Amino acid sequence: MRAEERLWAFVAASAALLWAVPFAWMAVASLRPGVPPDIASLTPTGPFGLGNFAEAWASGNFPLWYLNTVLMCGGILAVQLVTVSMAGYAFARLRFPGRDLLFSAFLLQLLLIPPLLIVPNLATLVSLHLYDRLLGLMAPYFASAFGVFLMRQTFRAIPRDFEEAAMLDGASIPVPIRHVLLPLARPGLVAFAIVSVTAHWNEFLWPLMAVSSPRNHVLTVGLASFASGAEAGSAWGVVAAGTFFVTAPLLVFFLIFQRRFVSSFVYSGIK
Amino acid sequence: MTEITRRTALGAAIAVPAAAALARGAFAADPVEIDLFFPVPGKLADKMKELIDRFNGQQSAVKATAVYTGSYDDTSLKTRAATKAGKPPGAVIMSANFVREYVINGDVDPFDPIIAKHGKSPSEFFDQFWPALKPNAMIDGKIYGIPYQNSTPLMYYNVAAFTDVGLDPEKPPTTWREWLDAAQKLTKPSGDRWASTFPALTIIAAGGPAPSSCRTAGSTTTTITAAKFTTTPRRHWAHSPCSTRSSTKRRSCRPVSATPMLARAPFLPAGSA
């Protein structure tokens, strides 16, 4: 039994180490200015410095990219939290004709690969005059099949007794949702928020498609515009520093709320 | 992949709005706004914006916006999606390999009317470019792409190694035959020194020019010759073995400094432009 525990601890530690390698690499490369001969080394020699961060920051309009990314992720999440909890409630509690069929259709949508929808979505944006606007960037994500599914399961795990008690006291439908179900479903909402923000923060292809003006660029597209491609091959340090700017907010956020995030994921049963 | 397509970068134009702008000419009250999609990041992107700013400053009929659109493949994806959605860019800088596809799909207009406005016939216009660039840009007798930012294969060679074996550093090889002869002379039988290194696909993608120090004009070498050439060295033991593999699986071979000859496209370190 003890040997088995130790084996699992070893496996977990190895996986964690493997997972940490790219981050360590990024940190190491970003701290070495210039083009050192052992440029890709994980265990480098000095000198170290912060010059790459200054150069990366100066290479792009990071404040604007941060703002656009935060607006995009925040806007998507704000609308999603409303739509997925309402739809989740409807599928979990209400009875209406075609409910199960409609829910199957939602699940089917999870099977579509997003690039398939690029052209139809773009055409819709153009006809709504939302092409090349941040709102257009967010619009396709305002409803989330995954979120609806997750919230439906979360609501179904909550006993009906709580709402029925509120209903007996004369509450109409919105009241128990707001005061009973949503507070109890918070772990599910938090888990969904993490998945949503991470996905949209890191997304590259859709922002590249939906937006053209440099003033609407988000972090991922901005980073690529100065860091990717063969021409940046020797500027690893600057690329690593730029990558650090892109990933840092999420990393810091996760470190601060680590405990709550992990418990949310355990509760809601995803990943 | 980026590096290969980079070799053959051409401008392909979706010239509808641009032609409309020309037709309206200087009488237009408001400038026609067009997007120019481009796939080069970093310092080259800065240069692109500089050029576009200059263009916008010089005339008032067209206002162009330079839009970075990711890699060559992403740029094609974005171009196609934007075109299908009804927002085609005015012009695109993309890999020359894609031009024919756009022509077949009917997504691009030829440049011919614009060139005609400047009083030139298509072939007169193409006289200013190396002949090797023409087949990718002209399709069915019409110009759909304008050679721009083509990567030119260069040959690098080690003067000390040349002198060492009695080759004239002032006269580097100018044909594949001469290259092979030089390579054989430069190779040390003990294996201490391989004579030359080149990623095989580079030369095939380059198609035309034979390696000559910074001079690529006047060559008649074809893609087929280049392809054949890349298969011969193994028999002659003149090349570093790993360098003859497909460049998509390119491994780090010998450092360039130890290689007497190296043929490849120019590679612009981000810090040097």
Side-chain angles (χ1 to χ4, degrees), chain B residues 152-159 162 168-175 178-179 209-217 261-264:
Chain B
T152 313
L154 297 180
M155 175 187 157
Y156 302 85
Y157 59 95
N158 186 327
V159 173
F162 266 52
D168 184 359
E170 297 303 315
K171 286 182 190 158
T174 54
T175 65
E178 285 174 30
W179 165 291
S212 70
S213 160
C214 300
R215 280 168 293 144
T216 49
M261 291 194 296
L262 173 74
R264 63 160 307 151

Side-chain angles (χ1 to χ4, degrees), chain B residues 67-185:
Chain B
V67 182
Y68 171 73
T69 43
S71 69
Y72 281 80
D73 288 340
D74 289 339
T75 294
S76 185
L77 197 59
K78 164 132 184 161
T79 304
R80 221 170 310 166
T83 306
K84 290 269 179 290
K87 289 277 179 187
V92 189
I93 295 170
M94 59 163 65
S95 169
N97 307 342
F98 299 148
V99 176
R100 185 171 291 272
E101 188 184 326
Y102 280 86
V103 174
I104 290 171
N105 288 335
D107 285 340
V108 284
D109 283 347
F111 280 108
D112 298 35
I114 302 178
I115 291 165
K117 281 228 167 200
H118 288 80
K120 278 192 178 169
S121 74
S123 59
E124 277 170 351
F125 178 77
F126 250 98
D127 283 346
Q128 61 187 309
F129 300 107
W130 287 325
L133 303 175
K134 199 168 172 180
N136 265 332
M138 273 190 94
I139 291 165
D140 301 334
K142 293 194 172 113
I143 299 177
Y144 287 95
I146 295 174
Y148 176 69
Q149 230 177 33
N150 284 70
S151 299
T152 313
L154 297 180
M155 175 187 157
Y156 302 85
Y157 59 95
N158 186 327
V159 173
F162 266 52
T163 324
D164 182 34
V165 295
L167 287 165
D168 184 359
E170 297 303 315
K171 286 182 190 158
T174 54
T175 65
W176 294 122
R177 187 70 244 169
E178 285 174 30
W179 165 291
L180 205 54
D181 289 343
Q184 279 169 317
K185 277 187 195 157

Side-chain angles (χ1 to χ4, degrees), chain A residues 27-241:
Chain A
V28 165
S30 65
L31 289 170
R32 306 179 72 202
V35 185
D38 56 339
I39 192 166
S41 172
L42 253 178
T43 53
T45 51
F48 299 97
L50 295 174
N52 288 329
F53 289 97
E55 195 181 334
W57 190 267
S59 298
N61 195 345
F62 275 96
L64 177 78
W65 298 340
Y66 273 125
L67 178 71
N68 286 339
T69 308
V70 169
L71 281 177
M72 175 184 71
C73 291
I76 290 175
L77 183 64
V79 178
Q80 275 181 340
L81 287 182
V82 175
T83 56
V84 301
S85 48
M86 305 246 278
Y89 177 83
F91 283 125
R93 290 289 196 259
L94 302 183
R95 284 159 192 260
F96 53 91
R99 183 186 71 174
D100 294 339
L101 197 68
L102 199 60
F103 187 64
S104 309
F106 262 74
L107 291 186
L108 270 180
Q109 199 247 296
L110 282 176
L111 300 179
L112 294 181
I113 48 165
L116 200 64
L117 298 172
I118 285 177
V119 170
N121 279 347
L122 274 186
T124 312
L125 290 191
V126 170
S127 60
L128 293 174
H129 301 286
L130 289 177
Y131 180 74
D132 196 19
R133 289 176 59 185
L134 275 183
L135 189 60
L137 193 54
M138 303 178 215
Y141 295 110
F142 282 165
S144 159
F146 169 72
V148 170
F149 172 71
L150 187 69
M151 291 319 292
R152 173 185 180 265
Q153 304 310 104
T154 309
F155 285 142
R156 278 167 67 111
I158 298 168
R160 274 171 192 267
D161 306 8
F162 296 126
E163 302 152 70
E164 280 166 359
M167 298 265 210
L168 276 182
D169 289 340
S172 53
I173 283 184
V175 178
I177 294 182
R178 225 181 101 195
H179 294 285
V180 180
L181 278 178
L182 284 182
L184 286 171
R186 190 182 287 165
L189 286 171
V190 170
F192 173 68
I194 297 169
V195 171
S196 166
V197 169
T198 316
H200 298 305
W201 189 281
N202 291 333
E203 195 169 17
F204 175 73
L205 195 58
W206 173 247
L208 188 75
M209 295 295 137
V211 155
S212 288
S213 310
R215 74 188 143 81
N216 288 334
H217 273 175
V218 293
L219 277 169
T220 45
V221 177
L223 175 70
S225 73
F226 85 85
S228 80
E231 286 76 18
S234 65
W236 276 33
V238 181
V239 173

